[in-house]
Amino acid sequence: MGFSDYTLPEGTHTIVLGVGDVNGFMRGKRIPATQWERTCNDGNAIIAALFAMDMTSDVWDTPYCSFDNGYVDMHMFPSHVPVASPWEEGVAICMARAEGLDHKPVPIDPRNALVAQVERAAKMGYEVQVGTELEFYLLDPETGKPTFSGNQVYGINRMAEMEHVLGPIREHLNALGIPIEQSNPEYAAGQVEVNIRYGEALKAADRVVLFRAMVKELALKHGYLATFMAKPYIDQSGSGFHTHYSLWRDGKNQFATNKTINKTGLAFLAGLQTRMAEMSLVTSMTPNAYRRRQPYTFCPMNASWGYDNRTVGLRVIDGSDTAVRIEKRDASADCNPYYLLACEIAAGLDGIEAGLKPGPHIEGNAYEDSDDEPLPLSLDEAVRRAKQSQFMQDVVGKDRLAVIVKQAEREIEFVNKQVTQVETDRYLHNF
């Protein structure tokens, strides 16, 4: 595809073009409209190390990007028609795909891990549909604290209080092609949940990357810091990233028979259940994310499943045949959507291919009543599991897995080298 396939909205003078980095957050460039034809035909050069760059923009040597090879470039190409920004006149926004200078896929590009699983599903005759729910906090940019007080989850009055910022977020993101179904105050002061309607898996992951970038931008325009940090406050609710799965063929949901989950859906669920603990590195990528995993927090602690049960890791939702789906509830809001969806889809497809059946479902409290495999409670454990996992190496890819393992090990070392304020408060004067 070339320039004629990516026509700019009338009046565009600047295009925001970006890709999801190693953590699935958007990085890229602003490109004058005068350079758009060249960008579409030849690509826009950018350092490939952004696929091996941590959340602070620090880099380290990898086999693909290093001081030995001069930290090579790659090229960004548009992956869809640019869409006019509703809040910045003359600016259009576009997600990109990456190519190496050899016109081949970039070996450490997270998106390609998901591409492979989408293609695998297609060969099996399935289109993977994924809905996403993300939680985040709206905070004072100076203090890093909520400007709202009290837990008013689903509160109508709190919704009205927040509408000056959430209203534009819903409206503008819909205009960008991200179909927002709803928003609501979540389980802590300043915490919000926004639901994105289900869509094809690769598009769903791209939307999450764009969603997080644009939420942060729009929040700032309204005087807030939006953070997708997994656990900003130890005594308040953490922020999760729930995924809702169904497989479709010829316009029909293959998980549904007579308005309930069928054998195919349960096999997919069994695959997820089998790999849930093993894939923890991609569901929670920082030490902080594991602070979410506490009993009675609506964050699952094990690979349990149940029907419409919010204490389990895998929640089956029955209803109309178009609505039957599996919700996976353990991921943190700051994780990479490409790696997350790739591993979850791969596990589910494995379950279908092997004809797996899940263990007994939980009808009560999964925090107390489940004998299912516990999920890792630290990043150290998740890294250990990932290093030993042939599944992770096959799905994420050897080079990409090496990058996220190294990032995790760096984060573990950084956090472990700190003396925290809690330690100082407890020990300085008492010993």
Side-chain angles (χ1 to χ4, degrees):
M1 300 177 74
F3 173 64
S4 62
D5 299 296
Y6 300 106
T7 305
L8 295 173
E10 187 175 351
T12 299
H13 57 70
T14 300
I15 305 94
V16 176
L17 185 68
V19 296
D21 69 5
V22 67
N23 293 295
F25 282 80
M26 192 171 176
R27 296 180 189 265
K29 294 185 177 182
R30 286 194 168 218
I31 300 169
T34 54
Q35 299 298 311
W36 187 239
E37 181 172 3
R38 181 185 61 79
T39 297
C40 293
N41 293 332
D42 302 329
N44 183 277
I46 191 169
I47 188 170
L50 65 81
F51 293 141
M53 180 182 292
D54 71 17
M55 66 293 300
T56 71
S57 300
D58 196 10
V59 297
W60 60 92
D61 280 6
T62 67
Y64 191 77
C65 305
S66 67
F67 283 104
D68 288 340
N69 67 16
Y71 277 91
V72 296
D73 265 350
M74 63 184 184
H75 281 147
M76 295 188 298
F77 291 86
S79 62
H80 59 81
V81 176
V83 181
S85 169
W87 62 88
E88 199 171 1
E89 188 175 354
V91 174
I93 299 170
C94 186
M95 289 293 297
R97 60 176 180 84
E99 279 186 10
L101 300 186
D102 56 2
H103 301 293
K104 295 179 180 179
V106 178
I108 57 173
D109 180 355
R111 192 173 187 267
N112 290 331
L114 179 55
V115 169
Q117 294 307 315
V118 168
E119 292 174 348
R120 175 189 173 193
K123 289 177 182 177
M124 296 171 65
Y126 297 122
E127 179 178 80
V128 185
Q129 295 281 327
V130 189
T132 56
E133 302 175 10
L134 287 105
E135 296 165 335
F136 57 93
Y137 276 83
L138 294 172
L139 306 173
D140 184 300
E142 297 299 322
T143 66
K145 302 292 184 182
T147 60
F148 305 96
S149 61
N151 177 4
Q152 293 294 328
V153 63
Y154 300 117
I156 296 297
N157 299 122
R158 178 56 52 84
M159 290 182 199
E161 254 187 292
M162 303 178 104
E163 186 64 6
H164 67 287
V165 57
L166 291 181
I169 284 175
R170 291 194 311 272
E171 179 184 349
H172 292 335
L173 292 182
N174 268 308
L176 286 182
I178 302 175
I180 304 300
E181 288 193 317
Q182 59 213 21
S183 66
N184 60 270
E186 253 303 328
Y187 207 68
Q191 192 183 37
V192 177
E193 178 179 281
V194 176
N195 296 5
I196 304 174
R197 184 168 176 77
Y198 69 86
E200 184 277 325
L202 194 59
K203 187 176 291 185
D206 287 341
R207 284 170 173 167
V208 168
V209 173
L210 185 59
F211 170 86
R212 292 190 298 203
M214 296 302 104
V215 164
K216 291 180 77 70
E217 184 172 322
L218 286 164
L220 196 59
K221 287 182 178 296
H222 289 82
Y224 294 95
L225 166 67
T227 181
F228 293 88
M229 181 180 176
K231 190 74 170 176
Y233 315 106
I234 195 63
D235 60 343
Q236 299 294 323
S237 177
S239 291
F241 178 174
H242 298 174
T243 47
H244 293 249
Y245 286 98
S246 55
L247 298 182
W248 291 67
R249 180 185 292 152
D250 300 327
K252 294 183 178 180
N253 182 0
Q254 300 301 295
F255 282 4
T257 300
N258 297 326
K259 301 182 180 180
T260 191
I261 194 165
N262 59 21
K263 181 179 178 181
T264 301
L266 289 175
F268 190 94
L269 185 148
L272 288 171
Q273 190 176 38
T274 300
R275 301 293 188 184
M276 198 166 173
E278 188 175 345
M279 69 170 75
S280 191
L281 177 60
V282 301
T283 64
S284 298
M285 298 177 68
T286 67
N288 174 261
Y290 290 83
R291 300 185 188 277
R292 288 180 61 243
R293 294 187 176 174
Q294 301 176 25
Y296 307 103
T297 60
F298 297 105
C299 178
M301 302 283 288
N302 49 55
S304 55
W305 76 281
Y307 292 90
D308 196 18
N309 185 336
R310 285 182 168 84
T311 70
V312 299
L314 297 163
R315 174 177 171 241
V316 171
I317 302 167
D318 285 338
S320 67
D321 281 353
T322 58
V324 173
R325 61 197 186 274
I326 299 163
E327 179 190 25
K328 187 168 179 289
R329 299 174 51 80
D330 61 320
S332 62
D334 55 0
C335 74
N336 187 315
Y338 299 123
Y339 289 142
L340 178 68
L341 269 61
C343 288
E344 291 176 346
I345 292 168
L349 295 179
D350 284 353
I352 291 174
E353 288 184 333
L356 298 182
K357 296 180 180 179
H361 71 275
I362 300 296
E363 293 185 357
N365 181 354
Y367 293 115
E368 295 183 358
D369 301 335
S370 173
D371 294 323
D372 295 292
E373 183 178 16
L375 302 182
L377 297 182
S378 71
L379 185 56
D380 305 65
E381 185 183 352
V383 167
R384 180 184 62 79
R385 294 289 299 265
K387 284 180 171 181
Q388 295 172 351
S389 171
Q390 188 62 47
F391 169 82
M392 289 287 284
Q393 188 166 133
D394 291 344
V395 177
V396 175
K398 182 179 179 181
D399 290 340
R400 289 184 289 253
L401 184 60
V403 170
I404 61 174
V405 163
K406 182 64 175 178
Q407 176 183 256
E409 290 174 338
R410 285 162 53 92
E411 293 305 302
I412 291 166
E413 182 181 13
F414 180 81
V415 170
N416 286 346
K417 283 184 175 179
Q418 308 308 306
V419 174
T420 67
Q421 189 61 48
V422 170
E423 292 170 280
T424 302
D425 290 345
R426 287 185 67 82
Y427 307 141
L428 187 68
H429 291 284
N430 293 319
F431 285 122

